[in-house]
Amino acid sequence: MSTLLESIFSVEFFFAVLRVSTPLIFPALGVAITAMSGNINIGLEGIMLIAAFTGVIVSIYTESLMLALLAGVASGVFFGAALGYFHLKLKADIILAAVALNFLASGLTIFLLIVITGGRNTSALRSLTFPSFNIPVLQSIPVLGPILSGHNIMTYVAFLSVFVYYVVLFKTPLGLRIRAVGQNPDAARSVGINVDRVKLYALMISGVFGALGGLYLSMGYVSWFSRDMVAGRGFIAVAAATMGGNLSFGTLLGSMLFGLVNTATIYISSLDIPSDLVQSIPYLATVIVLAIYSARNFAPRKRRAVSTHHGENEHHEKKP
Amino acid sequence: MQRFLLKNFDAVRTAIAILIGMLICVLLIILVSSSPGDSISIFLFGPFSSQRTIASIFEIATPIIFTGVALSIAFQAEQFYIGAEGAFYITAAVGTAFAVSTSMPWFFHIPLILLVSGTFGGLWGLIPGYLKARFNTSEVVTALMLNFVALYAGLYLINNFFRDRAAGFMVSFRLPESAELPRFIDRTRIHWGVVLAIVVAVWAYYFLYHTRTGYEIRTVGHNPKFARFGGINVFKVIIIVHILTGAIAGMGGMVEIMGIHRRFNWQDLPGQGWDGVIVAIIGRMHPLYVVAAAIFLGYLRVGGQQLRLMSDVPFELVLVIQSAIILLITARAFLSQWEARMVIRQATEEAES
């Protein structure tokens, strides 16, 4: 047990937690913003994959990090908008459309990868990567410095995105509309809000977040693209956002909980602890949290329960 | 002609979607292949080239019929239970554990294993089902989470208690012979599971379209409010739907182990649960059409394998086509203007005559 504690409470461990959490925070924010507009978005898996692929290819052909970033984000937004087009305009169920788009992303990226490289040796494609970044004053502080400083720049962008998410959702007219549409689309429509357009915007913003997560994966976390490299992170994001009640700080904590557990399983795999079971805990916890949320909303005194629920949300939101 | 088209418009739409998907596929092959003609014929006719490839179609289709039929029941009640993947996986793990630790003559063993795995799968489906029925918890999210729980719990069970350390990699012990579904065509792996799958599909068809509960399930799917005011117990319907979906999908997982692998060898979710979503959509959530859709998907997959073996076109072409097809089929507004025009034309014609 002491070796476990030693290895877990080390600087490297917490550094790794931040690193592993980064590609979860981005898509979780994407899930959260669509959830706020009243849709469940399980398409982040595909959005991340497309962006990860686009980033790598563009960075290799243009040798420009900036263009890779822009192209990657554009591909994510396009993908989010495509999901919106099929759901809102062509009246497809959003869950099924997202499943289809995830398949499309998986197939299309590998198909193009093989076509572009003309062969099977796809790992030969070395992508440019986003730089790491030392925070000037912070890095010299003991313990805290080595944990927080020296990360890939996208990790800091991820934390910044949490703040951006909060501002967009709670301090801008668009955010107000998104929340209004999510809580009661009919009421929103009655005051002249174009419900479909607001939902489309939410999906496109989720495309931005998802794309950043995907770009980090292929151009920071590693420096190449590989088959289905997102590996379920888009689905974990649904869990993380749900756990955090789709609020900014909650979603961050939810993502980091999954990051923590995933890192811990790597560290304890050498010890005599069933790491498979440990890994299942956050998912079980999500089911339980979700059940409690909905049980509260479903209580007989429904109206009161709902209003206090949202009152608490506001309270939480002011903290960060 | 017009009347025929209108009457079968859903089928026409599906056919057009499949046609467009195949056109996209031909187009992609022309774009990337150095000998497009050969590649196209390999893709389209390769699956029928030998007994082996034809058998492959049915081997691939068998587990997907189970998950597809299971999901059709859920989708008909508008329950977007996407947990077939998890049910499929964990039931196979639990079923393997049961099969490995018991021994009896095959005519007891096989039915008992199917019973145990069906029951377990049903219980697994009951979790999101109860939460949905009782608290209106989104079954999409809970089922998605339970997929991961299934993966890790299944790995834990197999790797810690039933792992065959004599084998070079992470697999369970071999099933006893009494638990194997026999293969009945020489030099293929087609096993009795395919018959079982079709029996389940026919039963599901009968259940959905010719029983009272089936009617209630479809009514809840069409309009839950109407169903509730019409005196249907929506709580009960949702519970039944989830139990059945979990049970059938789970049984499919165990059948796949008993017929094809003969030991549990999945270190990751195998994907047949998601394939079930595809065939449920292509089969328009009708159990009998789902059988055809699963065979079609098997045909596409074998065509893709042939491409990989014999041409310069990647297998993943198939994933692109199948997603294009299901996108078009799920898009309810796809071709709806055409349909509306035909309805109007027919109405005016009838009014004039």
Side-chain angles (χ1 to χ4, degrees):
Chain A
M1 200 62 196
S2 65
T3 41
L4 170 70
L5 290 180
E6 257 168 50
S7 57
I8 281 200
F9 288 101
S10 66
V11 168
E12 293 80 28
F13 177 78
F14 284 106
F15 185 89
V17 169
L18 292 182
R19 184 171 168 272
V20 173
S21 301
T22 304
L24 298 176
I25 296 171
F26 282 123
L29 292 173
V31 172
I33 199 156
T34 17
M36 279 291 177
S37 78
N39 274 331
I40 300 175
N41 185 357
I42 62 169
L44 267 302
E45 188 81 6
I47 291 176
M48 288 176 79
L49 200 60
I50 287 277
F53 175 76
T54 310
V56 168
I57 296 299
V58 171
S59 92
I60 287 171
Y61 279 91
T62 66
E63 298 196 348
S64 157
L65 211 51
M66 204 59 210
L67 283 177
L69 176 72
L70 287 177
V73 169
S75 70
V77 172
F78 177 77
F79 210 85
L83 183 56
Y85 178 75
F86 275 98
H87 172 53
L88 302 166
K89 186 87 184 166
L90 293 181
K91 305 289 171 215
D93 182 85
I94 194 164
I95 301 297
L96 303 181
V99 171
L101 284 172
N102 287 342
F103 268 116
L104 185 67
S106 170
L108 201 59
T109 48
I110 309 165
F111 182 79
L112 291 176
L113 189 69
I114 294 176
V115 170
I116 287 172
T117 56
R120 304 284 182 257
N121 187 13
T122 50
S123 57
L125 288 176
R126 285 284 151 193
S127 164
L128 299 180
T129 55
F130 295 106
S132 293
F133 185 67
N134 287 317
I135 304 173
V137 184
L138 192 69
Q139 63 169 324
S140 49
I141 302 173
V143 185
L144 220 54
I147 292 177
L148 295 178
S149 183
H151 282 282
N152 189 287
I153 198 153
M154 290 300 264
T155 302
Y156 302 113
V157 175
F159 281 85
L160 200 66
S161 297
V162 177
F163 182 69
V164 170
Y165 173 80
Y166 167 74
V167 171
V168 167
L169 206 57
F170 291 93
K171 303 288 174 199
T172 66
L174 177 64
L176 181 66
R177 292 208 173 120
I178 289 177
R179 286 181 294 140
V181 165
Q183 278 168 21
N184 191 336
D186 292 332
R189 199 173 284 121
S190 73
V191 294
I193 295 176
N194 186 337
V195 173
D196 279 1
R197 185 171 300 166
V198 170
K199 287 190 169 190
L200 178 66
Y201 288 155
L203 281 167
M204 287 165 78
I205 297 173
S206 90
V208 175
F209 286 129
L212 291 173
L215 285 167
Y216 170 72
L217 265 187
S218 64
M219 303 176 63
Y221 198 75
V222 296
S223 58
W224 59 82
F225 180 87
S226 63
R227 166 187 292 260
D228 293 326
M229 70 186 301
V230 175
R233 287 183 178 87
F235 298 139
I236 299 175
V238 178
T242 306
M243 208 166 203
N246 301 315
L247 301 166
S248 54
F249 196 59
T251 302
L252 174 69
L253 285 184
S255 316
M256 291 188 65
L257 175 72
F258 279 92
L260 180 83
V261 172
N262 286 350
T263 316
T265 48
I266 301 167
Y267 271 69
I268 62 175
S269 57
S270 54
L271 303 166
D272 199 21
I273 295 175
S275 63
D276 295 325
L277 282 192
V278 175
Q279 262 181 293
S280 72
I281 291 171
Y283 300 101
L284 266 181
T286 309
V287 174
I288 294 165
V289 167
L290 191 61
I292 294 172
Y293 274 172
S294 43
R296 274 207 311 197
N297 279 344
F298 203 73
R301 289 158 297 165
K302 199 174 171 182
R303 197 174 294 157
R304 217 188 110 221
V306 170
S307 65
T308 51
H309 185 61
H310 287 293
E312 281 167 21
N313 289 356
E314 295 293 334
H315 181 64
H316 279 298
E317 270 309 318
K318 291 203 175 90
K319 267 186 196 162
Chain B
M1 178 66 189
Q2 186 165 297
R3 181 163 306 194
F4 171 81
L5 281 181
L6 267 181
K7 211 173 161 201
N8 303 296
F9 198 75
D10 271 343
V12 173
R13 240 165 51 91
T14 309
I16 292 178
I18 291 174
L19 210 67
I20 292 178
M22 296 310 258
L23 279 178
I24 294 175
C25 143
V26 168
L27 211 71
L28 281 175
I29 290 182
I30 292 174
L31 278 177
V32 304
S33 179
S34 52
S35 52
D38 291 344
S39 301
I40 290 171
S41 86
I42 289 171
F43 178 66
L44 293 180
F45 307 113
F48 306 119
S49 61
S50 69
Q51 191 200 20
R52 178 81 210 92
T53 53
I54 295 171
S56 281
I57 295 176
F58 291 94
E59 289 161 17
I60 292 172
T62 303
I64 304 178
I65 293 175
F66 279 99
T67 52
V69 167
L71 287 168
S72 314
I73 298 176
F75 290 172
Q76 287 243 4
E78 286 275 308
Q79 296 299 306
F80 290 104
Y81 175 77
I82 46 174
E85 185 77 25
F88 187 86
Y89 184 88
I90 186 132
T91 307
V94 171
T96 305
F98 176 78
V100 167
S101 16
T102 49
S103 80
M104 56 192 88
W106 68 267
F107 49 88
F108 284 129
H109 211 182
I110 290 177
L112 195 60
I113 293 170
L114 290 176
L115 188 71
V116 166
S117 49
T119 311
F120 184 84
L123 290 175
W124 188 259
L126 180 62
I127 306 170
Y130 177 79
L131 290 176
K132 173 66 184 271
R134 179 75 182 78
F135 303 123
N136 204 22
T137 314
S138 162
E139 75 281 13
V140 175
V141 181
T142 44
L144 205 55
M145 298 307 106
L146 288 170
N147 284 350
F148 287 98
V149 176
L151 171 64
Y152 294 119
L155 282 175
Y156 173 72
L157 179 71
I158 296 297
N159 289 347
N160 285 283
F161 303 106
F162 296 97
R163 181 173 170 204
D164 184 357
R165 290 180 197 276
F169 31 96
M170 302 278 256
V171 291
S172 78
F173 294 113
R174 228 188 121 81
L175 297 189
E177 251 172 59
S178 58
E180 289 175 356
L181 284 173
R183 296 169 182 166
F184 59 85
I185 298 174
D186 278 349
R187 285 175 293 133
T188 73
R189 294 193 298 172
I190 295 182
H191 54 89
W192 281 100
V194 70
V195 178
L196 208 60
I198 289 167
V199 169
V200 166
V202 171
W203 176 81
Y205 160 74
Y206 177 80
F207 173 73
L208 275 176
Y209 291 93
H210 295 283
T211 67
R212 194 196 149 110
T213 317
Y215 172 74
E216 289 180 348
I217 288 174
R218 289 181 295 131
T219 310
V220 168
H222 283 306
N223 190 339
K225 273 191 193 140
F226 172 79
R228 190 164 281 129
F229 289 129
I232 291 174
N233 185 343
V234 177
F235 178 88
K236 187 190 83 179
V237 166
I238 292 178
I239 295 275
I240 290 178
V241 160
H242 280 87
I243 289 180
L244 278 178
T245 306
I248 296 175
M251 206 187 280
M254 192 55 210
V255 165
E256 180 73 353
I257 298 286
M258 291 159 83
I260 299 283
H261 304 292
R262 268 82 196 270
R263 51 167 95 210
F264 189 88
N265 59 354
W266 293 320
Q267 287 296 311
D268 205 346
L269 295 174
Q272 274 95 345
W274 294 110
D275 292 341
V277 178
I278 298 176
V279 298
I281 293 170
I282 296 180
R284 300 208 321 276
M285 300 156 199
H286 185 298
L288 298 183
Y289 301 157
V290 163
V291 176
I295 293 170
F296 172 66
L297 194 67
Y299 160 75
L300 283 185
R301 295 275 162 86
V302 176
Q305 288 167 2
Q306 296 289 309
L307 276 184
R308 175 160 54 194
L309 290 175
M310 304 198 289
S311 81
D312 52 354
V313 182
F315 171 80
E316 282 68 24
L317 178 71
V318 173
L319 297 180
V320 177
I321 312 163
Q322 72 189 27
S323 39
I325 293 174
I326 53 177
L327 265 178
L328 290 178
I329 297 179
T330 50
R332 259 175 282 171
F334 169 61
L335 297 180
S336 64
Q337 283 180 330
W338 182 42
E339 185 187 16
R341 264 201 305 273
M342 279 203 298
V343 169
I344 292 168
R345 205 179 315 141
Q346 172 147 9
T348 34
E349 273 166 21
E350 271 167 19
E352 278 162 5
S353 62

